[in-house]
Amino acid sequence: MKQFLGFLVKEFYHIFRDFRTLLILFGMPVAQIMLFGFAITNEVKDVKIAILDESKDNITKEISSKLLSSGYFIAYDNLKSVKDIEPEFRKGMIKEVIIFEPNFSGNLLKLGKANVQLIADASEPNLANMIVGYTSSILMDYQKDLAKSGDIRPSINTDVKMRYNPNLKSVFMFVPGLMAVILLLVSALMTSISITKEKEIGTMEVLLVSPLKPFQIIIGKVIPYLLLAFVNAFVILGLAQFVFGVPIAGNTVLLLLESTLFVITSLSLGIFISTISNSQQTAMMVSLGGLMLPTIILSGYIFPIENMPIPLQIISNIVPARWFITIVKSIMLKGAGFEYIIKETLVLAGMTVFLIALSIKKFKTRLE
Amino acid sequence: MYIVEVKNITKNFKDTVAVDDISFEVGQGELFGLIGPDGAGKTTLFRMLTTLLKPMSGYAKVLGFDIVKDYKKIRKHVGYMPGRFSLYQDLSVEENLKFFATIFGTTIEENYDLIKDIYILLEPFKKRKAGKLSGGMKQKLALCCALIHKPDVLFLDEPTTGVDPVSRNEFWEMLRKLKEQGITILVSTPYMDEASLCDRVALMQKGKTLSIDTPENIISRFKKPLFAISSENQYSLMQNLLAYENRDTIYPFGDFLHYTDKRENVSTDEIMKYIESLNCKKITVKSIKPNIEDCFMALMEEN
């Protein structure tokens, strides 16, 4: 036991003396979540719009105030005439103009039909699409309200409903994927590098010719990274909750337990990689190319699995992060209990057992 | 009982034979040297004896334990210093030593006597990171780490390679002291001049042993008269002597050429006369005693 503790102390020296790696380990989760949370959003918030109201009746005023109080839009300017639209767009000050035709309420109430024109700045097509979509759905809402009060039948009935993320907050969707990527990176990449480093600098030779048992070497390598990964999981969840207000709908303990399972899966992947590579560089290439890319692309983190071609969907089954992301989404966003994620949990556990068995079989007690 | 017993051991790496049918024994308290150029198979042999590699055929025993079957027992009782500096560069001198003491289930204090003479030289730098030590210091630290668990037998793979001559002398002085404490030492080196510092040596070449004996016996078996020759232009002298019909062997050796003749009782004057006939200037010819390297060359020629 003393031997093992001595080994563990040494591992912690390695980690805490390598300042740059440490900075990456703890800086990266924070940087990434901030990046995804603040910068790379695809949600509509405080978009500047202009309203050209040529009717100025009760209904147009009501619609305008509904638009502006939605939180998606803020009024930049109320235009005087159609001629003013072009210059404002050119200046880039507004993203959308809403034009109500003259005698809007009269037409709507008498003819049952009134025209409103939406002009959007489509130099950013995605954003323009979204803004128009949001605006139309607000108009539709109003139309429906009117219909309830009796006189006019709504001709269009659109049902816009976003389950689990009603406001389309993208940070909600990124947190589970981010957890998977960070935990995988810390666990698999760092462990595989740390074991191959001993091979590369020749210390493995000395360690092998010592009474230390192979499993003591492996466990000693794994424990520090298990702890680091756990700290990272806490940091990500904490930031998600307190900075971005992502709720944890389900059981936090269950979430942490599942995260631990995924960390162990990743660690066993890392050990496996280290048994098949002889240099830190190989280990890094295998980890980044063989793990990071599939994890980002095939796990449903960024691209939905349902939209992939069938062969890729099949391949995605062997990516551990795919199962973990499903678990995290279920617990965090849907508040699902353990009974809903048994299948995913079993898949991860199975992968872990398989990888550990393989690693122990491949771990060499000699140099060949 | 022999401390190390090697019997007809052979090791291949794919098509290359690294160690070819080697046998020898090392007794208690002996300082045994494996001497040969790079690629002679010294490291492979050491790795087999330290249980890191399995032999293809033959067997070896260390402290009476079989290197394949009882490898776990051997690992508890041997000290091993690999050819490359194999300590943790980001750990300090003290931390490295402490780590190796701990994994062998001992402490620095317990075996301090054994390493005292060496560690005293390192003590002023004990807080320094191992990666920032000089070559000689690194080697002393590595020796301390290999010794800290009081091994019965010490395997040192090329400990003096890349170390300055002063540190090399110091190092051999340390080995002599360790030997006095009863530790059996196997050491490999490519430097022929270090052979005379061992009790017995095995001269190795291309995986085979050329000769295993005490350095004195190996030298005494060199029967031919040996001459050291130099002149103003060593290169043309060498070319001329290579073409000489009475030449037996000739090798460049520092500032001199070491020369043996086919004729039995040839004198310095006869050789001198021949060289003078070649229009060489500033000629010296002297009769010298052979050293291990001469013996090595001669043995290589025979094989």
mmCIF file of all heavy atoms in Angstrom, chain A residues 20-51:
data_model
loop_
_atom_site.group_PDB
_atom_site.id
_atom_site.type_symbol
_atom_site.label_atom_id
_atom_site.label_comp_id
_atom_site.label_asym_id
_atom_site.label_seq_id
_atom_site.Cartn_x
_atom_site.Cartn_y
_atom_site.Cartn_z
ATOM 1 N N ARG A 20 1.667 24.225 -17.811
ATOM 2 C CA ARG A 20 0.925 24.497 -19.044
ATOM 3 C C ARG A 20 -0.208 23.491 -19.254
ATOM 4 O O ARG A 20 -1.312 23.852 -19.628
ATOM 5 C CB ARG A 20 1.868 24.491 -20.244
ATOM 6 C CG ARG A 20 2.520 25.856 -20.442
ATOM 7 C CD ARG A 20 3.575 25.809 -21.485
ATOM 8 N NE ARG A 20 4.718 25.043 -21.007
ATOM 9 C CZ ARG A 20 5.841 24.903 -21.678
ATOM 10 N NH1 ARG A 20 5.963 25.442 -22.870
ATOM 11 N NH2 ARG A 20 6.849 24.231 -21.175
ATOM 12 N N THR A 21 0.114 22.211 -19.006
ATOM 13 C CA THR A 21 -0.921 21.195 -19.155
ATOM 14 C C THR A 21 -2.061 21.448 -18.173
ATOM 15 O O THR A 21 -3.235 21.327 -18.504
ATOM 16 C CB THR A 21 -0.330 19.794 -18.902
ATOM 17 O OG1 THR A 21 0.848 19.673 -19.674
ATOM 18 C CG2 THR A 21 -1.314 18.723 -19.285
ATOM 19 N N LEU A 22 -1.661 21.842 -16.984
ATOM 20 C CA LEU A 22 -2.657 22.100 -15.947
ATOM 21 C C LEU A 22 -3.584 23.241 -16.368
ATOM 22 O O LEU A 22 -4.805 23.193 -16.176
ATOM 23 C CB LEU A 22 -1.929 22.478 -14.660
ATOM 24 C CG LEU A 22 -2.695 22.261 -13.364
ATOM 25 C CD1 LEU A 22 -3.011 20.788 -13.205
ATOM 26 C CD2 LEU A 22 -1.886 22.748 -12.184
ATOM 27 N N LEU A 23 -2.965 24.252 -16.961
ATOM 28 C CA LEU A 23 -3.745 25.410 -17.417
ATOM 29 C C LEU A 23 -4.758 24.973 -18.474
ATOM 30 O O LEU A 23 -5.922 25.378 -18.453
ATOM 31 C CB LEU A 23 -2.788 26.449 -18.014
ATOM 32 C CG LEU A 23 -3.356 27.848 -18.177
ATOM 33 C CD1 LEU A 23 -3.564 28.482 -16.819
ATOM 34 C CD2 LEU A 23 -2.427 28.696 -19.023
ATOM 35 N N ILE A 24 -4.298 24.100 -19.376
ATOM 36 C CA ILE A 24 -5.205 23.615 -20.421
ATOM 37 C C ILE A 24 -6.334 22.808 -19.785
ATOM 38 O O ILE A 24 -7.502 22.978 -20.103
ATOM 39 C CB ILE A 24 -4.437 22.753 -21.450
ATOM 40 C CG1 ILE A 24 -3.476 23.642 -22.232
ATOM 41 C CG2 ILE A 24 -5.395 22.048 -22.389
ATOM 42 C CD1 ILE A 24 -2.536 22.899 -23.136
ATOM 43 N N LEU A 25 -5.945 21.956 -18.835
ATOM 44 C CA LEU A 25 -6.940 21.079 -18.213
ATOM 45 C C LEU A 25 -8.065 21.860 -17.554
ATOM 46 O O LEU A 25 -9.226 21.492 -17.651
ATOM 47 C CB LEU A 25 -6.267 20.199 -17.156
ATOM 48 C CG LEU A 25 -5.558 18.970 -17.683
ATOM 49 C CD1 LEU A 25 -5.023 18.139 -16.539
ATOM 50 C CD2 LEU A 25 -6.534 18.147 -18.503
ATOM 51 N N PHE A 26 -7.685 22.922 -16.854
ATOM 52 C CA PHE A 26 -8.726 23.640 -16.122
ATOM 53 C C PHE A 26 -9.239 24.860 -16.882
ATOM 54 O O PHE A 26 -10.361 25.283 -16.676
ATOM 55 C CB PHE A 26 -8.227 24.038 -14.738
ATOM 56 C CG PHE A 26 -8.122 22.860 -13.827
ATOM 57 C CD1 PHE A 26 -6.904 22.326 -13.499
ATOM 58 C CD2 PHE A 26 -9.276 22.252 -13.335
ATOM 59 C CE1 PHE A 26 -6.817 21.212 -12.677
ATOM 60 C CE2 PHE A 26 -9.197 21.137 -12.523
ATOM 61 C CZ PHE A 26 -7.958 20.624 -12.187
ATOM 62 N N GLY A 27 -8.392 25.399 -17.768
ATOM 63 C CA GLY A 27 -8.823 26.560 -18.535
ATOM 64 C C GLY A 27 -9.783 26.178 -19.647
ATOM 65 O O GLY A 27 -10.724 26.895 -19.944
ATOM 66 N N MET A 28 -9.523 25.009 -20.240
ATOM 67 C CA MET A 28 -10.296 24.625 -21.411
ATOM 68 C C MET A 28 -11.798 24.495 -21.154
ATOM 69 O O MET A 28 -12.587 25.039 -21.925
ATOM 70 C CB MET A 28 -9.740 23.334 -21.981
ATOM 71 C CG MET A 28 -10.205 23.057 -23.377
ATOM 72 S SD MET A 28 -9.421 21.587 -23.991
ATOM 73 C CE MET A 28 -9.774 20.456 -22.668
ATOM 74 N N PRO A 29 -12.204 23.798 -20.096
ATOM 75 C CA PRO A 29 -13.649 23.694 -19.873
ATOM 76 C C PRO A 29 -14.303 25.066 -19.712
ATOM 77 O O PRO A 29 -15.368 25.301 -20.274
ATOM 78 C CB PRO A 29 -13.769 22.902 -18.572
ATOM 79 C CG PRO A 29 -12.447 22.386 -18.263
ATOM 80 C CD PRO A 29 -11.439 23.077 -19.091
ATOM 81 N N VAL A 30 -13.618 25.952 -18.978
ATOM 82 C CA VAL A 30 -14.184 27.281 -18.751
ATOM 83 C C VAL A 30 -14.274 28.029 -20.078
ATOM 84 O O VAL A 30 -15.326 28.569 -20.436
ATOM 85 C CB VAL A 30 -13.318 28.061 -17.739
ATOM 86 C CG1 VAL A 30 -13.865 29.464 -17.563
ATOM 87 C CG2 VAL A 30 -13.266 27.334 -16.408
ATOM 88 N N ALA A 31 -13.156 28.013 -20.836
ATOM 89 C CA ALA A 31 -13.138 28.731 -22.111
ATOM 90 C C ALA A 31 -14.207 28.187 -23.051
ATOM 91 O O ALA A 31 -14.943 28.946 -23.679
ATOM 92 C CB ALA A 31 -11.761 28.611 -22.750
ATOM 93 N N GLN A 32 -14.297 26.869 -23.114
ATOM 94 C CA GLN A 32 -15.245 26.282 -24.065
ATOM 95 C C GLN A 32 -16.688 26.595 -23.718
ATOM 96 O O GLN A 32 -17.486 26.935 -24.582
ATOM 97 C CB GLN A 32 -15.051 24.764 -24.113
ATOM 98 C CG GLN A 32 -13.807 24.398 -24.861
ATOM 99 C CD GLN A 32 -13.984 23.113 -25.636
ATOM 100 O OE1 GLN A 32 -15.090 22.659 -25.839
ATOM 101 N NE2 GLN A 32 -12.884 22.528 -26.062
ATOM 102 N N ILE A 33 -16.996 26.497 -22.449
ATOM 103 C CA ILE A 33 -18.397 26.716 -22.093
ATOM 104 C C ILE A 33 -18.759 28.184 -22.273
ATOM 105 O O ILE A 33 -19.865 28.530 -22.699
ATOM 106 C CB ILE A 33 -18.729 26.196 -20.676
ATOM 107 C CG1 ILE A 33 -20.240 26.011 -20.554
ATOM 108 C CG2 ILE A 33 -18.214 27.096 -19.598
ATOM 109 C CD1 ILE A 33 -20.632 25.126 -19.425
ATOM 110 N N MET A 34 -17.791 29.082 -22.008
ATOM 111 C CA MET A 34 -18.043 30.505 -22.228
ATOM 112 C C MET A 34 -18.244 30.771 -23.719
ATOM 113 O O MET A 34 -19.120 31.520 -24.122
ATOM 114 C CB MET A 34 -16.850 31.333 -21.732
ATOM 115 C CG MET A 34 -16.722 31.355 -20.224
ATOM 116 S SD MET A 34 -18.152 32.137 -19.457
ATOM 117 C CE MET A 34 -17.825 31.853 -17.749
ATOM 118 N N LEU A 35 -17.384 30.110 -24.516
ATOM 119 C CA LEU A 35 -17.464 30.287 -25.959
ATOM 120 C C LEU A 35 -18.820 29.848 -26.492
ATOM 121 O O LEU A 35 -19.496 30.575 -27.215
ATOM 122 C CB LEU A 35 -16.363 29.431 -26.591
ATOM 123 C CG LEU A 35 -15.682 29.990 -27.810
ATOM 124 C CD1 LEU A 35 -14.852 31.190 -27.415
ATOM 125 C CD2 LEU A 35 -14.803 28.934 -28.443
ATOM 126 N N PHE A 36 -19.213 28.650 -26.098
ATOM 127 C CA PHE A 36 -20.480 28.129 -26.604
ATOM 128 C C PHE A 36 -21.667 28.879 -25.999
ATOM 129 O O PHE A 36 -22.694 29.055 -26.635
ATOM 130 C CB PHE A 36 -20.598 26.631 -26.319
ATOM 131 C CG PHE A 36 -19.805 25.802 -27.266
ATOM 132 C CD1 PHE A 36 -18.786 24.977 -26.813
ATOM 133 C CD2 PHE A 36 -20.057 25.869 -28.625
ATOM 134 C CE1 PHE A 36 -18.043 24.230 -27.696
ATOM 135 C CE2 PHE A 36 -19.316 25.122 -29.514
ATOM 136 C CZ PHE A 36 -18.310 24.298 -29.049
ATOM 137 N N GLY A 37 -21.472 29.289 -24.757
ATOM 138 C CA GLY A 37 -22.572 29.948 -24.076
ATOM 139 C C GLY A 37 -22.824 31.349 -24.603
ATOM 140 O O GLY A 37 -23.971 31.743 -24.821
ATOM 141 N N PHE A 38 -21.747 32.105 -24.818
ATOM 142 C CA PHE A 38 -21.928 33.509 -25.177
ATOM 143 C C PHE A 38 -21.771 33.772 -26.677
ATOM 144 O O PHE A 38 -22.554 34.489 -27.276
ATOM 145 C CB PHE A 38 -20.910 34.374 -24.436
ATOM 146 C CG PHE A 38 -21.278 34.567 -22.991
ATOM 147 C CD1 PHE A 38 -20.375 34.279 -21.981
ATOM 148 C CD2 PHE A 38 -22.536 35.065 -22.650
ATOM 149 C CE1 PHE A 38 -20.709 34.477 -20.650
ATOM 150 C CE2 PHE A 38 -22.879 35.261 -21.323
ATOM 151 C CZ PHE A 38 -21.968 34.964 -20.322
ATOM 152 N N ALA A 39 -20.710 33.219 -27.246
ATOM 153 C CA ALA A 39 -20.363 33.630 -28.603
ATOM 154 C C ALA A 39 -21.124 32.863 -29.672
ATOM 155 O O ALA A 39 -21.753 33.446 -30.546
ATOM 156 C CB ALA A 39 -18.863 33.463 -28.804
ATOM 157 N N ILE A 40 -21.074 31.550 -29.588
ATOM 158 C CA ILE A 40 -21.653 30.773 -30.668
ATOM 159 C C ILE A 40 -23.114 30.475 -30.351
ATOM 160 O O ILE A 40 -23.481 29.349 -30.061
ATOM 161 C CB ILE A 40 -20.870 29.462 -30.864
ATOM 162 C CG1 ILE A 40 -19.372 29.750 -30.883
ATOM 163 C CG2 ILE A 40 -21.282 28.769 -32.152
ATOM 164 C CD1 ILE A 40 -18.520 28.536 -30.929
ATOM 165 N N THR A 41 -23.934 31.491 -30.378
ATOM 166 C CA THR A 41 -25.341 31.215 -30.101
ATOM 167 C C THR A 41 -26.091 31.265 -31.411
ATOM 168 O O THR A 41 -25.731 31.986 -32.319
ATOM 169 C CB THR A 41 -25.949 32.266 -29.173
ATOM 170 O OG1 THR A 41 -25.778 33.531 -29.794
ATOM 171 C CG2 THR A 41 -25.285 32.274 -27.836
ATOM 172 N N ASN A 42 -27.134 30.472 -31.503
ATOM 173 C CA ASN A 42 -28.007 30.635 -32.650
ATOM 174 C C ASN A 42 -29.412 30.955 -32.152
ATOM 175 O O ASN A 42 -30.401 30.489 -32.647
ATOM 176 C CB ASN A 42 -27.995 29.403 -33.554
ATOM 177 C CG ASN A 42 -28.123 28.136 -32.744
ATOM 178 O OD1 ASN A 42 -28.681 28.153 -31.650
ATOM 179 N ND2 ASN A 42 -27.614 27.049 -33.280
ATOM 180 N N GLU A 43 -29.472 31.756 -31.133
ATOM 181 C CA GLU A 43 -30.775 32.147 -30.623
ATOM 182 C C GLU A 43 -31.002 33.625 -30.944
ATOM 183 O O GLU A 43 -30.061 34.381 -31.189
ATOM 184 C CB GLU A 43 -30.846 31.922 -29.118
ATOM 185 C CG GLU A 43 -29.846 32.738 -28.348
ATOM 186 C CD GLU A 43 -29.745 32.270 -26.904
ATOM 187 O OE1 GLU A 43 -29.041 31.300 -26.631
ATOM 188 O OE2 GLU A 43 -30.393 32.901 -26.072
ATOM 189 N N VAL A 44 -32.276 34.013 -30.935
ATOM 190 C CA VAL A 44 -32.627 35.385 -31.255
ATOM 191 C C VAL A 44 -32.854 36.147 -29.968
ATOM 192 O O VAL A 44 -33.639 35.737 -29.124
ATOM 193 C CB VAL A 44 -33.904 35.406 -32.124
ATOM 194 C CG1 VAL A 44 -34.365 36.828 -32.367
ATOM 195 C CG2 VAL A 44 -33.639 34.689 -33.429
ATOM 196 N N LYS A 45 -32.110 37.223 -29.807
ATOM 197 C CA LYS A 45 -32.235 37.986 -28.574
ATOM 198 C C LYS A 45 -31.888 39.439 -28.870
ATOM 199 O O LYS A 45 -30.875 39.723 -29.498
ATOM 200 C CB LYS A 45 -31.266 37.404 -27.545
ATOM 201 C CG LYS A 45 -31.571 37.795 -26.123
ATOM 202 C CD LYS A 45 -30.489 37.233 -25.219
ATOM 203 C CE LYS A 45 -30.513 37.924 -23.886
ATOM 204 N NZ LYS A 45 -29.270 37.693 -23.158
ATOM 205 N N ASP A 46 -32.769 40.361 -28.442
ATOM 206 C CA ASP A 46 -32.525 41.799 -28.618
ATOM 207 C C ASP A 46 -32.102 42.186 -30.040
ATOM 208 O O ASP A 46 -31.149 42.926 -30.242
ATOM 209 C CB ASP A 46 -31.431 42.270 -27.645
ATOM 210 C CG ASP A 46 -31.957 42.239 -26.221
ATOM 211 O OD1 ASP A 46 -33.189 42.139 -26.043
ATOM 212 O OD2 ASP A 46 -31.131 42.310 -25.293
ATOM 213 N N VAL A 47 -32.815 41.662 -31.032
ATOM 214 C CA VAL A 47 -32.525 42.037 -32.416
ATOM 215 C C VAL A 47 -33.153 43.398 -32.698
ATOM 216 O O VAL A 47 -34.311 43.647 -32.340
ATOM 217 C CB VAL A 47 -33.088 40.980 -33.384
ATOM 218 C CG1 VAL A 47 -32.879 41.406 -34.823
ATOM 219 C CG2 VAL A 47 -32.430 39.642 -33.120
ATOM 220 N N LYS A 48 -32.382 44.258 -33.350
ATOM 221 C CA LYS A 48 -32.900 45.595 -33.621
ATOM 222 C C LYS A 48 -33.808 45.573 -34.855
ATOM 223 O O LYS A 48 -33.409 45.098 -35.913
ATOM 224 C CB LYS A 48 -31.747 46.579 -33.846
ATOM 225 C CG LYS A 48 -31.069 46.926 -32.532
ATOM 226 C CD LYS A 48 -29.869 47.801 -32.759
ATOM 227 C CE LYS A 48 -29.229 48.105 -31.407
ATOM 228 N NZ LYS A 48 -27.832 48.471 -31.546
ATOM 229 N N ILE A 49 -35.022 46.056 -34.678
ATOM 230 C CA ILE A 49 -35.952 46.102 -35.805
ATOM 231 C C ILE A 49 -36.547 47.500 -35.923
ATOM 232 O O ILE A 49 -36.463 48.310 -34.995
ATOM 233 C CB ILE A 49 -37.106 45.087 -35.646
ATOM 234 C CG1 ILE A 49 -37.887 45.354 -34.343
ATOM 235 C CG2 ILE A 49 -36.601 43.663 -35.663
ATOM 236 C CD1 ILE A 49 -39.229 44.661 -34.282
ATOM 237 N N ALA A 50 -37.130 47.756 -37.074
ATOM 238 C CA ALA A 50 -37.830 49.027 -37.256
ATOM 239 C C ALA A 50 -39.259 48.711 -37.663
ATOM 240 O O ALA A 50 -39.514 47.702 -38.336
ATOM 241 C CB ALA A 50 -37.136 49.847 -38.322
ATOM 242 N N ILE A 51 -40.192 49.537 -37.223
ATOM 243 C CA ILE A 51 -41.593 49.314 -37.580
ATOM 244 C C ILE A 51 -42.090 50.520 -38.373
ATOM 245 O O ILE A 51 -41.948 51.661 -37.919
ATOM 246 C CB ILE A 51 -42.448 49.105 -36.318
ATOM 247 C CG1 ILE A 51 -41.988 47.816 -35.588
ATOM 248 C CG2 ILE A 51 -43.927 49.012 -36.694
ATOM 249 C CD1 ILE A 51 -42.606 47.634 -34.232
#
